[in-house]
Amino acid sequence: MIVARDYVFMCSEPGQEMIGKDIRDLGLNRVVVAACSPIMHESTFRRTCQKAGLNPYLIEIANIREQCSWVTENKQMATEKAKALLNAAVKRVYYHQPLETRKIPFNPNTLIVGGGIAGIRAALEIADSGHKVYLVERSPSIGGHMMQLDKTFPTLDCSACILTPKMTEAGNHPYIELMSYSEVVEASGYIGNFRIRIRKKARYVNGDRCNGCGLCQEKCPSKVDSEFEAGMGKRKAIYTPFPQAVPNIPVIDADHCTYFLKGTCRLCEEVCEAGAIDFGQEDEIVEVEAGSIILATGYSVFDPVAIHQYGYRRLDNVITSLEFERLVNSSGQTGGNIVLKDGSVPRSIAIIQCVGSRDRNYHDYCSRVCCMYALKYAHLIKEKTGAEVYQYYIDMRCFGKGYEEFYERIAGEGVSFIRGKVGEVTDRALNDEEKGRLVVVAEDTLLGSMIRVPVDMVILCTAMEPQQDAEAVARLFNISRSADGFFLERHPKLDPVATSSEGIFVAGCCQSPKDIPDTVAQASAAAARILSLISKGEVEIEAAIASIDEKLCSGCGICGSLCPYSAILLDEEKKFYKVNEALCKGCGTCVAACPVSAITGRHFTAEQIMAEIEGLLI
Ligand code: SF4
Ligand code: SF4
């Protein structure tokens, strides 16, 4: 030991300068820092060493914050433990070896999965910088949920009007290869060099020939519920989901097409003058290469059938928020008229917030948008029908720019706000006023009493949920999910767009529920991260990884079957296993599992670990 220093902000500029000066002036060949978690500042201190001419792996961190001062109030015990940890770090660092990182080329192409507003925004930002983007969307058109919405809060501008130009731009962009009606089936590789296999589902319409005239859809006799209209309208078996679809090429839904079901019809083929119908088309697998990936796969909507007492699908005129969006939309089935099932105009409407959100029976989390879109509904109902509006809330969360002002404005429009969770929606009348109507039963927590309000329509503001296939997608791309099922970001504050897999980023509601401005901001942030990687042109590969001694390897393959990153491959010629250095994260699973001790974890050798244990025990 040459020198010991004590400084309260060692990670600050003066602290780092102090370390650098000692390395240079005293010729230090090892450094130990006793401070906070290496997750926070190991890279900072490694850079300090490197700047001063010392290999960055010749430093060791003793974590005396999270492991001592934060976990006990007993100062004496904390000090004893800190001394032991420091002793262990000093013993260990003696055995550290200088390691060198490697750089590999970075493929400037980007894969974006999901063509909603997040995917479109990120794709345009990257493509506008002159870099190729593969934009994969599983529906026949890009647009996502935002395309289904009527107005956007708090500005009340038309959702489709602000999104359509962006969709068209993405569809025509020379640097965006749009793959709609397609799904990723396999992803392999690592940051800078991903290889992705994509299934392009058969549209049964030749996109090069189709001119989008729509005659086929007009003549098709087969009608089914439209997914886009959320059950509030129909589509044909050959269809584009909505008139502004990008691409404007229909698909044939083989599950409902008379020809596929019964072998007769082919009317669409008959009327198509462009000769675009192709019943012989088959799914196609294409392979693309990309340096980075953005997952922007969006969200699902909670199905309120589970909350039996709210009467959804049991009672007429109990509808979900998404159904209301289509009902009130001028391009929807009723031309934007808010009407009941029998076609009459409602005189009173209840809006119930937090359906499936902030409810320990379903989802603990807040969906973050329901308060605001419920206010928007209240405004639209007042504007279009003049009906009485009763808005049931737990808390009003108006956190965004202009949101509180929007709340004030709607509160001034004569909406009745009732603070309380609705217990039941029923058609059991207790008096003449309730007869033939829906009755909303709730506790008004401000009055401290139960109330019954008869209304003509009930709108359930349903929670945002992770996509049904979120688990499968997370497995496909080797990323983690948080307890609520959404994709897990690397750090909730310091790295909210990256994931645990290098080079894979998340944007939008697949990471957590959020509104449109936050979605767009996160998509732009993910694009910026990728552009910075592209501009470097190469990525640095971690040096603290596993290495296999080919002379000791027996070829049993246990390591390969256990590696969570698929980083161990068989060398077919030499019949031993080797580590793909770009994929290995240095987790150590294979090191512990190898029955002949042929694998070494660089920077975690047996000598280093034993020295550390010895230091702890003294
Ligand atoms: S009739 Fe033919 S050209 Fe017209 S939209 Fe249908 S497939 Fe395309
Ligand atoms: S074959 Fe008939 S049912 Fe099928 S998409 Fe064409 S028109 Fe519709």
Side-chain angles (χ1 to χ4, degrees):
M1 167 88 77
I2 305 289
V3 63
R5 302 264 186 221
D6 175 27
Y7 186 57
V8 69
F9 301 118
M10 200 53 95
C11 57
S12 69
E13 197 72 30
Q16 289 179 61
E17 269 168 25
M18 186 192 293
I19 297 172
K21 188 168 181 307
D22 280 346
I23 293 172
R24 283 189 301 270
D25 292 354
L26 304 172
L28 304 182
N29 60 13
R30 298 285 189 281
V31 174
V32 170
V33 175
C36 62
S37 161
I39 292 172
M40 284 294 289
H41 280 304
E42 188 171 52
S43 56
T44 310
F45 293 119
R46 278 186 178 170
R47 274 197 304 273
T48 307
C49 290
Q50 196 161 27
K51 232 167 112 187
L54 187 66
N55 184 283
Y57 288 87
L58 298 178
I59 187 171
E60 178 65 9
I61 312 276
N63 181 0
I64 60 168
R65 185 178 74 174
E66 281 83 350
Q67 294 187 5
C68 301
S69 60
W70 277 11
V71 289
T72 176
E73 286 177 4
N74 186 324
K75 286 188 180 173
Q76 182 58 33
M77 280 174 68
T79 306
E80 289 307 317
K81 187 175 175 190
K83 280 159 67 181
L85 287 175
L86 191 51
N87 196 37
V90 171
K91 293 263 182 205
R92 182 190 211 277
V93 81
Y94 175 80
Y95 293 99
H96 279 203
Q97 297 291 326
L99 297 175
E100 296 301 330
T101 53
R102 260 193 333 113
K103 293 199 165 141
I104 54 166
F106 190 91
N107 184 329
N109 299 342
T110 304
L111 171 82
I112 299 181
V113 188
I117 179 60
I120 292 171
R121 178 74 254 165
L124 286 174
E125 298 229 0
I126 295 168
D128 282 347
S129 309
H131 298 291
K132 169 118 188 169
V133 173
Y134 298 102
L135 180 55
V136 179
E137 165 58 45
R138 71 170 140 200
S139 331
S141 168
I142 54 172
H145 279 300
M146 186 174 165
M147 202 58 201
Q148 291 174 287
L149 308 181
D150 180 51
K151 302 272 189 298
T152 58
F153 59 77
T155 46
L156 293 179
D157 34 9
C158 158
S159 188
C161 307
I162 54 176
L163 181 58
T164 309
K166 296 289 164 203
M167 289 164 56
T168 311
E169 205 182 326
N172 295 328
H173 203 294
Y175 285 100
I176 298 179
E177 185 170 332
L178 180 56
M179 295 165 143
S180 61
Y181 213 42
S182 301
E183 277 176 329
V184 174
V185 290
E186 200 182 316
S188 58
Y190 44 88
I191 179 169
N193 296 278
F194 290 107
R195 196 177 285 265
I196 306 104
R197 284 161 66 79
I198 298 161
R199 175 182 291 116
K200 288 176 109 173
K201 290 181 274 181
R203 292 184 99 97
Y204 305 110
V205 175
N206 183 332
D208 295 332
R209 290 190 173 178
C210 173
N211 55 29
C213 69
L215 216 56
C216 51
Q217 303 185 52
E218 216 179 290
K219 299 293 177 195
C220 174
S222 172
K223 268 189 180 180
V224 282
D225 278 345
S226 159
E227 298 82 358
F228 180 76
E229 293 296 342
M232 302 297 274
K234 300 277 182 194
R235 65 161 168 83
K236 298 292 184 68
I238 183 165
Y239 72 105
T240 45
F242 46 89
Q244 312 92 319
V246 174
N248 186 23
I249 302 166
V251 296
I252 293 181
D253 167 4
D255 291 340
H256 294 98
C257 165
T258 315
Y259 172 67
F260 280 105
L261 293 175
K262 297 181 182 161
T264 55
C265 184
R266 298 182 84 131
L267 251 177
C268 51
E269 191 179 44
E270 229 170 82
V271 298
C272 178
E273 287 169 7
I277 306 295
D278 178 3
F279 287 106
Q281 237 180 40
E282 287 184 0
D283 289 2
E284 187 192 345
I285 300 286
V286 291
E287 196 168 291
V288 301
E289 290 179 356
S292 44
I293 296 172
I294 298 179
L295 299 178
T297 50
Y299 65 96
S300 277
V301 179
F302 174 74
D303 183 354
V305 164
I307 309 181
H308 184 76
Q309 63 272 26
Y310 284 179
Y312 181 65
R313 293 222 188 281
R314 218 166 25 83
L315 302 173
D316 283 348
N317 300 312
V318 177
I319 62 173
T320 66
S321 39
L322 198 54
E323 287 166 354
F324 183 77
E325 293 282 356
R326 297 313 305 158
L327 181 68
V328 77
N329 196 296
S330 55
S331 69
Q333 207 74 355
T334 62
N337 293 318
I338 302 172
V339 288
L340 301 172
K341 208 172 172 194
D342 64 7
S344 63
V345 178
R347 287 169 295 141
S348 58
I349 299 180
I351 304 171
I352 304 177
Q353 295 181 204
C354 299
V355 176
S357 307
R358 304 182 68 196
D359 182 334
R360 68 180 56 162
N361 296 311
Y362 305 101
H363 301 300
D364 287 337
Y365 57 80
C366 164
S367 286
R368 296 186 83 225
V369 288
C370 320
C371 294
M372 293 308 299
Y373 72 61
L375 287 170
K376 175 187 82 175
Y377 294 172
H379 169 79
L380 293 173
I381 293 164
K382 282 280 176 196
E383 188 181 67
K384 292 197 170 194
T385 67
E388 286 299 322
V389 178
Y390 301 93
Q391 189 164 332
Y392 293 82
Y393 67 99
I394 304 176
D395 302 292
M396 288 305 295
R397 294 182 166 176
C398 308
F399 58 90
K401 186 173 180 178
Y403 290 9
E404 184 63 24
E405 294 87 333
F406 189 64
Y407 167 63
E408 294 291 342
R409 173 182 161 188
I410 307 307
E413 291 180 1
V415 176
S416 301
F417 291 98
I418 300 167
R419 187 171 186 273
K421 186 106 179 148
V422 170
E424 187 189 13
V425 176
T426 178
D427 57 356
R428 285 188 304 276
L430 294 186
N431 53 45
D432 285 350
E433 197 201 349
E434 292 180 358
K435 244 182 224 155
R437 305 180 76 188
L438 297 164
V439 182
V440 181
V441 186
E443 183 194 3
D444 185 325
T445 56
L446 295 180
L447 293 178
S449 61
M450 293 301 292
I451 54 168
R452 294 173 64 92
V453 177
V455 293
D456 300 322
M457 177 185 275
V458 171
I459 304 169
L460 306 175
C461 298
T462 45
M464 283 178 166
E465 289 185 328
Q467 291 278 24
Q468 311 290 331
D469 62 351
E471 192 186 341
V473 174
R475 221 178 298 122
L476 191 65
F477 290 97
N478 210 0
I479 62 165
S480 309
R481 295 195 303 153
S482 40
D484 55 20
F486 291 99
F487 296 151
L488 183 65
E489 64 289 329
R490 182 174 293 169
H491 191 286
K493 295 179 191 72
L494 301 178
D495 209 349
V497 293
T499 65
S500 50
S501 282
E502 293 276 351
I504 302 184
F505 299 86
V506 280
C509 293
C510 63
Q511 183 250 340
S512 73
K514 52 179 70 71
D515 57 17
I516 295 168
D518 282 1
T519 295
V520 170
Q522 199 183 22
S524 297
R529 291 288 296 276
I530 286 173
L531 288 174
S532 85
L533 288 169
I534 294 173
S535 71
K536 280 187 197 153
E538 53 188 15
V539 276
E540 202 166 64
I541 300 298
E542 173 58 58
I545 53 171
S547 87
I548 300 179
D549 184 339
E550 59 183 85
K551 289 194 235 53
L552 294 178
C553 174
S554 64
C556 69
I558 291 174
C559 51
S561 66
L562 292 177
C563 176
Y565 301 99
S566 309
I568 298 182
L569 309 162
L570 177 66
D571 186 321
E572 297 284 358
E573 235 176 70
K574 299 182 186 160
K575 298 291 174 226
F576 66 78
Y577 282 80
K578 59 183 185 183
V579 176
N580 180 329
E581 297 193 352
L583 283 178
C584 177
K585 299 272 181 283
C587 71
T589 307
C590 59
V591 183
C594 178
V596 293
S597 302
I599 312 180
T600 309
R602 288 189 201 136
H603 209 55
F604 290 91
T605 63
E607 269 178 328
Q608 289 164 356
I609 291 166
M610 290 315 290
E612 193 171 1
I613 294 170
E614 195 187 315
L616 281 173
L617 297 177
I618 288 172

